[in-house]
Amino acid sequence: MSAFDTVVVGAGVAGVTAANLLSRAGQRVVVLEARDRVGGRLWTDRSAGLCVDLGVSWIHGVDGNPLTDLVEAFGIDTVEFTVGAFQPDSRPIANYDPSFTLLNPVAAQRWADDVHDVDQELERVIASCEPGQSYAAVAAQALATRDWDTERKQRVWEFYRHRTEEQCGAHISDVAAHGLDEDVIFGDEVVFPGGYDQLVLTLARGLDVRLNQVVKSVVWSAEGGRVDTAAASFQGRNVVVTVPLGVLKSGSIEFVPELPPEVAGPIERLGMGVFVKVFIQFPQHFWPSDIYAMRQQGAGGDVWHSWYDVSGSSGQPMLLTFAGGPRGREVEAMTDEQVLASALASLRQIYGDKVPSPVNHWVTRWGGDPYSLGSYSYVAVGASHEDHDAMATPAAGVVHLAGEATWSTDPATVNGALLSGHRAAERILGESIDLRELHQLAPSS
């Protein structure tokens, strides 16, 4: 059995951040990763000669974000691509009505004003809602205060449904009323033309990372922990577990004894969303060049409601569309060919014969991935934002959970994962660590 100061489970951003900071403090650290690569849900595909980020894609809000300084220190190029927290306007968006006709600027602004108007009422309803209410319930209450016809209300309601599908990967009725409280973006958003994995590859450089190590159990006590894989055992004074919430919820890793209620409770209560990304590369542009996105209203946008022009980061004519929540699970069960046919049929309802045959396509399936079992965490009905941080409560001062699901102010983000790994390292060392120590990993250093 190999003995270490700390055993880290998972080589995503949280895991390699914790391992790096602990190693820099002089600890002997090993990182166990089930996959054959580092990065976890941060995964750049370069198989087609360009970079396609199949997992996380954005830095959501560069202002005051520790990722911003880190990426700059590492010399990683970014491109501004701000979509906001699924807003009805804020950037040039082509909105199509239920008959697939482009809304003129006046009609589009009227619809966006409706959303903003109900949003103000929604904030008041959420602030005074009873515990245990869903986002669907409070949205319905807010809409009920408006003396509008059914069609007008329906346009706002479907916007709220799609907002929770995109932001949470869950149906509007499964998300807590307060589930989107932290959904605020500060500053622009950026993407990575050279691939987001540049970040995690730099953070992992020099670490003792063991790939293809599927963890089966974590046996722990106040004296330390033992992590068992199918092939070996690793002993550590501390264990940092950074696997996604979906894996923890599945019980595929056995904790002996079971995790304490203050940790196990949040794991049970929080939700793990499913969010499918479909990238489609075309031989040429056929959509307007002066817009960020296209949005489809009505039944025609039930599954494929938003299209984003990601040509600026990929360097090729490319659109990105999404399916989240129950729709995302349905899409994951389809073949690539079925997904592509469905998405193209939707796009052709808008652009008709202008849509050419694609050059290439990519379909993500994080919900069916055994090492993630979902895309990212969200506050489900019955859970709270405090559950995110509570999930990281150290068990006997030995077992530390980290990852995006354990960071309350920025869950479902890379910066949340980064900060959770930093927190775990500080708790293990019992002292503050300047996160800027990681800047020394820059290639020029």
Side-chain angles (χ1 to χ4, degrees):
M1 181 186 299
S2 301
F4 298 87
D5 294 309
T6 299
V7 180
V8 177
V9 180
V13 169
V16 296
T17 296
N20 215 298
L21 293 172
L22 292 170
S23 295
R24 297 181 68 81
Q27 283 208 354
R28 188 174 179 224
V29 182
V30 65
V31 182
L32 307 178
E33 171 54 52
R35 306 179 191 276
D36 59 1
R37 58 173 179 81
V38 300
R41 286 166 285 168
L42 196 160
W43 182 20
T44 304
D45 186 329
R46 294 182 172 81
S47 60
L50 64 154
C51 295
V52 180
D53 279 314
L54 300 178
V56 295
S57 300
W58 278 270
I59 293 182
H60 292 292
V62 296
D63 293 355
N65 192 323
L67 275 178
T68 305
D69 292 340
L70 194 60
V71 166
E72 290 178 354
F74 290 172
I76 300 174
D77 291 333
T78 60
V79 173
E80 186 271 331
F81 189 81
T82 302
V83 295
F86 199 70
Q87 298 301 312
D89 43 17
S90 79
R91 289 287 172 154
I93 298 173
N95 292 287
Y96 293 85
D97 70 17
S99 65
F100 312 107
T101 301
L102 178 67
L103 292 181
N104 63 45
V106 173
Q109 190 57 56
R110 186 184 304 121
W111 171 76
D113 289 344
D114 280 353
V115 174
H116 292 308
D117 176 57
V118 180
D119 269 349
Q120 292 181 353
E121 180 63 27
L122 182 59
E123 286 185 19
R124 290 190 284 270
V125 173
I126 291 173
S128 60
C129 73
E130 296 293 325
Q133 283 197 284
S134 70
Y135 203 82
V138 292
Q141 290 174 44
L143 273 169
T145 66
R146 298 300 183 259
D147 186 20
W148 297 344
D149 60 45
T150 301
E151 178 76 9
R152 190 175 176 185
K153 288 183 177 180
Q154 182 61 31
R155 297 290 77 78
V156 178
W157 170 261
E158 67 191 18
F159 176 82
Y160 285 143
R161 192 196 112 194
H162 295 325
R163 175 187 279 175
T164 57
E165 287 171 345
E166 182 161 320
Q167 302 304 108
C168 304
H171 191 268
I172 188 170
S173 62
D174 294 328
V175 178
H178 288 278
L180 273 70
D181 284 0
E182 87 294 337
D183 189 29
V184 180
I185 303 297
F186 297 102
D188 288 336
E189 295 172 286
V190 297
V191 292
F192 296 79
Y196 214 144
D197 67 348
Q198 297 171 92
L199 172 70
V200 74
L201 290 172
T202 303
L203 289 171
R205 195 171 61 228
L207 296 177
D208 181 3
V209 180
R210 313 284 178 94
L211 301 177
N212 301 303
Q213 292 286 333
V214 180
V215 171
K216 301 297 184 183
S217 63
V218 176
V219 180
W220 59 280
S221 68
E223 283 69 50
R226 188 187 77 236
V227 179
D228 298 324
T229 72
S233 294
F234 302 83
Q235 190 78 34
R237 176 64 188 86
N238 289 278
V239 178
V240 181
V241 179
T242 71
V243 299
L245 175 62
V247 174
L248 292 172
K249 292 176 77 71
S250 75
S252 61
I253 296 177
E254 181 184 14
F255 288 88
V256 183
E258 294 181 354
L259 291 169
E262 59 267 30
V263 178
I267 291 173
E268 182 179 353
R269 289 190 293 270
L270 290 168
M272 188 65 170
V274 169
F275 188 60
V276 177
K277 294 183 178 181
V278 181
F279 296 86
I280 306 179
Q281 181 185 352
F282 295 96
Q284 72 272 344
H285 282 83
F286 57 86
W287 57 92
S289 60
D290 58 347
I291 61 171
Y292 269 61
M294 296 88 83
R295 296 256 171 88
Q296 177 60 54
Q297 298 179 343
D302 182 52
V303 180
W304 313 112
H305 54 82
S306 299
W307 297 84
Y308 294 92
D309 183 352
V310 293
S311 308
S313 58
S314 67
Q316 299 292 328
M318 187 180 294
L319 292 176
L320 168 61
T321 187
F322 306 120
R327 293 293 183 267
R329 294 185 185 278
E330 291 171 7
V331 169
E332 282 201 337
M334 298 161 63
T335 65
D336 273 19
E337 291 71 24
Q338 290 172 327
V339 173
L340 185 62
S342 174
L344 288 175
S346 176
L347 200 55
R348 284 172 178 146
Q349 287 181 307
I350 301 174
Y351 295 110
D353 294 339
K354 292 182 181 178
V355 182
S357 296
V359 173
N360 214 332
H361 68 275
W362 295 259
V363 180
T364 67
R365 290 183 172 83
W366 294 104
D369 186 317
Y371 306 130
S372 59
L373 295 176
S375 302
Y376 40 75
S377 65
Y378 70 93
V379 181
V381 173
S384 69
H385 291 283
E386 290 73 24
D387 280 330
H388 286 294
D389 287 328
M391 197 174 121
T393 304
V398 170
V399 178
H400 306 257
L401 267 56
E404 55 85 7
T406 71
W407 196 260
S408 64
T409 55
D410 291 293
T413 66
V414 177
N415 49 294
L418 177 83
L419 292 170
S420 74
H422 176 227
R423 177 179 58 193
E426 287 188 324
R427 286 176 170 173
I428 289 170
L429 295 176
E431 60 186 38
S432 296
I433 306 172
D434 189 338
L435 195 56
R436 288 174 296 183
E437 285 188 21
L438 294 176
H439 294 188
Q440 298 177 42
L441 294 167
S444 58
S445 63

